[in-house]
Amino acid sequence: MSHAYPAPAKLNLFLHVVGRRADGYHLLQSVFRLIDRADIVHLELRDDGRVVRADDLPGVPEERDLSVRAARLLQAHAPAGAGVGIRLDKVLPMGGGLGGGSSDAATVLLALNRLWQANLPREALQQLALQLGADVPVFVFGQTAFAEGVGEILHPVSAPPAWYVVLMPPAQVPTAAIFAAPELTRNTPPLKIAPFSAGMGRNDLQSVVVQRYPEVARHLAWLAQFGDARMTGSGACVFASFETEETARDVLRQLPEMMQGFVAQGLDRHPLYDFCAG
């Protein structure tokens, strides 16, 4: 029997680089907001103990696929023989800063935690998620979050209701290369946790990406006509927030033919939030 679950995108409402650890990892502060644009993860339970990918994902070998790795991590906490076939309907662009692969992996963890009756509490599932990447735990956390550390220290915050216009420049931005850029600001003063307000902070990675990817700069400039346009994550996607769906859709209707984008609503909670306790 096949089951289908959403893997929602995230936006970084701001992203500050506040330092660097001795191991080279950057220390960050950010607010993560989930939105209702999502990949769909199809899971078909097996009883032969195998985790298999049902279709190819171009450029991502099966052994590196975060969704496959997530299922194999959780197997240690599942009954003997628990297996699964995984198929992804990809909606979110790769290398776009929307967290697609990380969200897919988190949805696999959340869904299989219930389907396999592993019943791990949320904190334990977040620890497994961190082994897959710094962006995966926030999707298991499952709500608007102020993030610190490398992105794994998460505190719930509230954000006002919002609709977002998200543009997808035709570029895949390699995260590691942007963080390695010599011109990257790495000493933004840390913020104290406070109620989030629209317009707070900035994206420290944005200036680096704009210099290297003219298409990102062009999409930002177009969207900035209508509001506070920002890049999410390490790019390439850019967004602006609006108070009503009507306003957001009116902006999207004016999008030039050679640009791609969508309108999405901010989510207060992940659709699978109740799939684990704690």
Side-chain angles (χ1 to χ4, degrees):
M1 185 175 178
S2 182
H3 307 263
Y5 300 98
K10 58 84 174 169
L11 297 174
N12 295 93
L13 301 188
F14 71 86
L15 177 56
H16 293 171
V17 183
V18 299
R20 202 172 191 177
R21 299 194 316 200
D23 61 7
Y25 278 93
H26 288 80
L27 298 171
L28 309 174
Q29 287 188 327
S30 186
V31 165
F32 286 92
R33 183 85 189 267
L34 302 183
I35 58 175
D36 65 357
R37 183 84 164 185
D39 290 343
I40 302 298
V41 179
H42 298 268
L43 301 174
E44 187 161 359
L45 296 184
R46 307 169 60 104
D47 58 10
D48 59 1
R50 295 180 63 213
V51 173
V52 298
R53 193 169 68 179
D55 52 5
D56 282 336
L57 197 58
V60 184
E62 185 168 314
E63 63 273 10
R64 283 180 42 222
D65 189 321
L66 290 180
S67 298
V68 172
R69 291 173 56 202
R72 289 174 179 164
L73 267 181
L74 191 61
Q75 271 186 314
H77 305 274
V84 68
I86 302 171
R87 180 171 62 82
L88 303 177
D89 287 343
K90 290 296 291 179
V91 172
L92 307 177
M94 297 175 68
L98 297 175
S102 296
S103 186
D104 297 341
T107 287
V108 168
L109 289 175
L110 287 162
L112 289 180
N113 191 51
R114 171 174 284 192
L115 293 172
W116 282 347
Q117 299 181 343
N119 300 322
L120 292 182
R122 192 175 315 278
E123 188 174 338
L125 219 55
Q126 285 176 219
Q127 289 300 317
L128 289 184
L130 185 57
Q131 297 180 47
L132 299 166
D135 269 0
V136 185
V138 73
F139 292 101
V140 174
F141 188 71
Q143 54 188 312
T144 308
F146 179 83
E148 298 184 281
V150 297
E152 86 289 6
I153 303 169
L154 301 165
H155 313 272
V157 293
S158 60
W163 291 82
Y164 299 95
V165 173
V166 182
L167 303 186
M168 301 181 290
Q172 284 193 28
V173 178
T175 300
I178 300 306
F179 274 108
E183 68 270 31
L184 176 65
T185 297
R186 296 181 171 88
N187 58 354
T188 296
L191 297 170
K192 293 183 178 178
I193 302 173
F196 177 75
S197 62
M200 182 186 238
R202 62 178 184 270
N203 187 331
D204 284 337
L205 307 182
Q206 182 172 305
S207 61
V208 178
V209 175
V210 163
Q211 289 172 4
R212 299 181 180 202
Y213 295 88
E215 282 295 321
V216 176
R218 191 166 69 89
H219 283 66
L220 267 171
W222 184 86
L223 192 55
Q225 300 174 94
F226 305 97
D228 180 11
R230 301 180 175 204
M231 191 178 76
T232 178
S234 58
C237 291
V238 302
F239 70 94
S241 68
F242 301 90
E243 291 185 1
T244 68
E245 180 181 9
E246 182 181 4
T247 307
R249 295 205 179 278
D250 183 58
V251 170
L252 190 68
R253 276 192 289 271
Q254 300 175 60
L255 192 66
E257 284 187 11
M258 67 287 297
M259 292 185 179
Q260 289 188 309
F262 60 86
V263 167
Q265 187 175 20
L267 298 175
D268 291 329
R269 287 201 164 180
H270 194 290
L272 308 187
Y273 184 83
D274 293 329
F275 276 35
C276 61

